[in-house]
Amino acid sequence: MLLALLALLALAGLGSVLRARRGAGAAEPRLQRSGRRDPVLPRPPVPEDALGAHGEAVRLQLQGEELRLQEESVRLHQINIYLSDRISLHRRLPERWNPLCKEKKYNYDQLPTTSVVIAFYNEAWSTLLRTVYSVLETSPDTLLEEVILVDDYSDREHLKERLATELAGLPKVRLVRASKREGLVRARLLGASVAQGDVLTFLDCHCECHEGWLEPLLQRIHEKESAVVCPVIDVIDWNTFEYLGNAGEPQIGGFDWRLVFTWHTVPEKERLRMRSPIDVISSRPAQPRHPASSPLCAQIWQCGGTLEIHPCSHVGHVFPRQAPYSRNKALANSVRAAEVWMDEFKELYYHRNPQARLEPFGDVTERRQLRAKLGCKDFKWFLNTVYPELHVPEDRPGFFGMLRNKGLKGYCFDYNPPNEHEITGHQVILYGCHGMGQNQFFEYTSQNEIRYNTHQPEGCVAVEAGTDVLIMHLCENTTPEDQKFILREDGSLFHVQSKKCVQAERKDVSDSFVPLLRDCTNSDHQRWFFQEHMV
């Protein structure tokens, strides 16, 4: 994804990097620079009838060998590269910004320059080159210091001599190659280590920049050096390459207690702060699918920076159908971040990710010392000040984890909605206990709720009037009557509204089991207990 200034600036904030580049002390007056305000490269004309010329969806009618090649490209890259190879590298995206953005004026002589760092590993030719050309054809020459491509030890033939030859003919483009596989963050750091611009901007390797994407980011950094500023991330469909940009209010990032990225609408308090629909928007995480993105973004705030989205900066991103390569360091990176930055709240993460406790994560002593040296605030401050919308679970001992049945041994409450972005409306079932958290993690709260709170927004178990099945509703500030359960000392789970108890039963004409409301009895199938770990 796109996160301007993520890897280096997550620890110390943007201001320290800018000051380090310029030298300590008062900011020096910027001299008028040579260079054009026009893009580095003019965009060559693309025929109006060319495939996807203006970001519209393309659906090829294929069969036989052509269909096989398309399916193979998707298997290899999780993106329809067969189609991408047939779309111009120079296509123009339709305008998807607020009309007020076109009225903004910039003093180009005052804005900092930027080095754009693009790390890649075995990326397809057309998506990588379209990203590079997109930057060159939308970025003012006077603001773009360079584009640094970092090859993270790719082994595909087209990314060797052929790529070097192609890039050698482009202005302001450098190719840096890692000597071994580093992973995304270290590859970006490698690019940052040789950058010459005032500001570091990180892009993914399958992006397309909207006209005018760069100026708003650099203007905001000129105004506030401690800001880490991100564009609005517009979706480019992995299969049709349709650009799905939206000129309306963008969503902002968040995370749940698994440290998984989530999308959210702009909070009301933030709307009230904004004087204009094109003001910057304070955000939390801004980089979906990046391992450990959530705690990394929290530490920006903790260490004195701000994380913001600028509504006038839009960049399209091809979200692959799924990650094309294994992320074997993802869990360790999340654990390291939790250990360094989350203080006592790391236990909420571990409760929902039991396997994380077993993950080797190395020595984080230096990271903790750096946090202390920088005087970074604690995670509680972040939750109270930056992300008050995130519900903090109680996780009282004996009232969270797997909710097991005494009579039906080895079975637990289980909830696995078909779409993780729409968690409500489906039935809670019973499934073999696995001790992995996730879909079997529940919490019984002091408000008599059974919360399914590994995800955001959180779900609460409910029983609608006139029914006996347990389904998931959204939790509310005040617990509704149909969501109130009393976990009695004898282990019975009493539903307050119906005055019935939850019982484990086999589904009709099935080998599966479900919890249902029944008249209260002394049956062990109506006895429940929480267990944090598998024994």
Side-chain angles (χ1 to χ4, degrees):
M1 245 15 305
L2 289 138
L3 184 49
L5 316 165
L6 169 66
L8 288 178
L9 311 183
L11 289 179
L14 172 62
S16 61
V17 173
L18 283 176
R19 285 189 291 273
R21 290 183 181 275
R22 295 189 201 156
E28 300 174 2
R30 184 176 292 279
L31 300 177
Q32 183 166 344
R33 290 191 299 262
S34 60
R36 301 172 298 109
R37 297 178 185 180
D38 294 331
V40 176
L41 286 180
R43 191 191 304 272
V46 177
E48 289 293 321
D49 60 350
L51 292 177
H54 298 285
E56 66 274 18
V58 179
R59 295 176 176 85
L60 301 175
Q61 303 301 313
L62 303 177
Q63 55 186 353
E65 179 64 9
E66 290 181 324
L67 180 59
R68 187 193 69 78
L69 289 173
Q70 177 174 272
E71 291 172 345
E72 176 65 14
S73 77
V74 173
R75 184 195 65 78
L76 193 61
H77 295 280
Q78 300 302 312
I79 295 173
N80 188 348
I81 297 301
Y82 184 89
L83 171 60
S84 176
D85 291 345
R86 285 152 180 77
I87 292 176
S88 172
L89 300 180
H90 308 280
R91 72 172 183 170
R92 182 184 297 274
L93 298 179
E95 286 193 1
R96 289 292 188 271
W97 55 2
N98 189 300
L100 293 173
C101 296
K102 298 183 72 172
E103 301 176 10
K104 288 181 68 69
K105 306 297 182 185
Y106 302 97
N107 186 335
Y108 286 78
D109 293 329
Q110 290 186 351
L111 297 184
T113 62
T114 187
S115 297
V116 175
V117 179
I118 302 170
F120 66 91
Y121 171 71
N122 282 350
E123 183 67 18
W125 179 266
S126 58
T127 47
L128 179 60
L129 266 293
R130 189 177 294 113
T131 302
V132 175
Y133 279 115
S134 175
V135 173
L136 296 176
E137 293 168 2
T138 58
S139 303
D141 180 67
T142 189
L143 299 181
L144 184 66
E145 180 72 25
E146 61 196 340
V147 178
I148 302 172
L149 270 76
V150 183
D151 175 15
D152 190 16
Y153 209 58
S154 300
D155 55 20
R156 301 278 164 80
E157 195 60 36
H158 67 271
L159 297 174
K160 298 180 181 179
E161 184 177 349
R162 180 187 173 193
L163 179 64
T165 301
E166 177 79 15
L167 298 181
L170 297 179
K172 299 194 174 188
V173 177
R174 287 200 281 163
L175 177 61
V176 177
R177 296 194 189 270
S179 58
K180 60 183 178 68
R181 185 84 162 93
E182 297 286 0
L184 178 61
V185 172
R186 290 186 180 275
R188 286 176 167 175
L189 285 170
L190 177 60
S193 70
V194 300
Q196 299 297 313
D198 297 322
V199 172
L200 298 169
T201 302
F202 295 95
L203 294 181
D204 237 7
C205 53
H206 28 258
C207 291
E208 296 180 56
C209 300
H210 189 284
E211 297 290 338
W213 74 283
L214 186 56
E215 292 95 319
L217 302 181
L218 297 180
Q219 174 66 37
R220 180 55 178 164
I221 291 170
H222 172 67
E223 295 167 353
K224 184 180 181 182
E225 288 190 347
S226 61
V228 177
V229 195
C230 308
V232 177
I233 301 168
D234 294 325
V235 173
I236 298 175
D237 188 272
W238 66 267
N239 191 35
T240 68
F241 275 77
E242 180 181 10
Y243 175 61
L244 300 170
N246 189 333
E249 180 182 88
Q251 290 187 310
I252 65 172
F255 59 88
D256 58 34
W257 287 104
R258 301 168 300 162
L259 303 186
V260 171
F261 180 92
T262 55
W263 288 112
H264 297 268
T265 58
V266 177
E268 185 60 27
K269 69 168 186 175
E270 187 66 11
R271 288 199 185 98
L272 293 174
R273 182 198 60 79
M274 296 170 63
R275 295 165 298 175
S276 161
I278 60 173
D279 278 354
V280 293
I281 302 169
S282 296
S283 185
R284 285 89 62 163
Q287 190 171 27
R289 298 195 182 206
H290 183 271
S293 165
S294 302
L296 278 175
C297 295
Q299 71 195 45
I300 292 172
W301 288 97
Q302 287 173 261
C303 295
T306 59
L307 181 60
E308 302 171 349
I309 294 175
H310 204 305
C312 288
S313 177
H314 283 246
V315 176
H317 178 266
V318 184
F319 286 88
R321 183 173 63 170
Q322 62 186 47
Y325 308 109
S326 65
R327 290 173 168 169
N328 54 4
K329 296 181 180 179
L331 181 58
N333 288 341
S334 290
V335 172
R336 286 174 64 87
E339 286 290 330
V340 175
W341 296 99
M342 292 182 68
D343 307 322
E344 70 272 18
F345 295 94
K346 68 184 180 184
E347 291 302 317
L348 301 180
Y349 164 68
Y350 285 131
H351 291 164
R352 287 150 185 79
N353 294 272
Q355 68 275 22
R357 290 191 189 274
L358 308 176
E359 183 72 14
F361 59 88
D363 187 358
V364 295
T365 303
E366 289 187 4
R367 298 292 90 189
R368 288 172 173 157
Q369 290 172 345
L370 178 60
R371 173 182 166 176
K373 179 181 178 181
L374 294 172
C376 302
K377 296 181 173 66
D378 59 29
F379 199 71
K380 184 176 182 180
W381 172 89
F382 170 78
L383 292 173
N384 292 338
T385 306
V386 180
Y387 202 179
E389 300 85 15
L390 181 64
H391 172 77
V392 179
E394 299 171 356
D395 281 12
R396 300 175 297 159
F399 293 99
F400 67 87
M402 296 172 283
L403 185 50
R404 304 184 65 132
N405 186 257
K406 184 177 180 181
L408 189 63
K409 298 186 183 302
Y411 278 79
C412 288
F413 265 43
D414 191 291
Y415 187 68
N416 195 13
N419 183 344
E420 68 173 18
H421 302 295
E422 298 176 5
I423 68 164
T424 61
H426 301 282
Q427 186 175 358
V428 178
I429 65 170
L430 298 175
Y431 198 78
C433 304
H434 54 56
M436 301 295 288
Q438 306 294 333
N439 54 305
Q440 289 191 356
F441 186 93
F442 292 84
E443 178 200 8
Y444 181 68
T445 74
S446 60
Q447 304 302 308
N448 304 120
E449 305 158 304
I450 304 174
R451 281 190 176 243
Y452 173 70
N453 58 8
T454 51
H455 292 63
Q456 285 290 321
E458 295 185 10
C460 279
V461 177
V463 182
E464 295 177 352
T467 69
D468 57 12
V469 299
L470 278 60
I471 63 172
M472 198 67 66
H473 286 183
L474 289 179
C475 301
E476 301 184 22
N477 292 333
T478 303
T479 310
E481 291 300 307
D482 63 354
Q483 293 182 12
K484 284 186 179 180
F485 294 83
I486 297 176
L487 183 56
R488 295 166 165 169
E489 290 187 5
D490 64 359
S492 59
L493 198 53
F494 180 75
H495 184 242
V496 174
Q497 187 178 61
S498 66
K499 296 182 171 49
K500 293 185 176 181
C501 291
V502 180
Q503 178 170 304
E505 288 192 9
R506 183 189 298 272
K507 289 182 70 174
D508 294 338
V509 197
S510 172
D511 290 331
S512 58
F513 298 88
V514 291
L516 299 172
L517 288 189
R518 293 291 184 255
D519 291 333
C520 297
T521 68
N522 291 323
S523 169
D524 281 351
H525 284 73
Q526 289 189 6
R527 299 295 181 264
W528 304 88
F529 62 98
F530 280 96
Q531 182 177 328
E532 184 178 352
H533 306 291
M534 294 293 287
V535 178

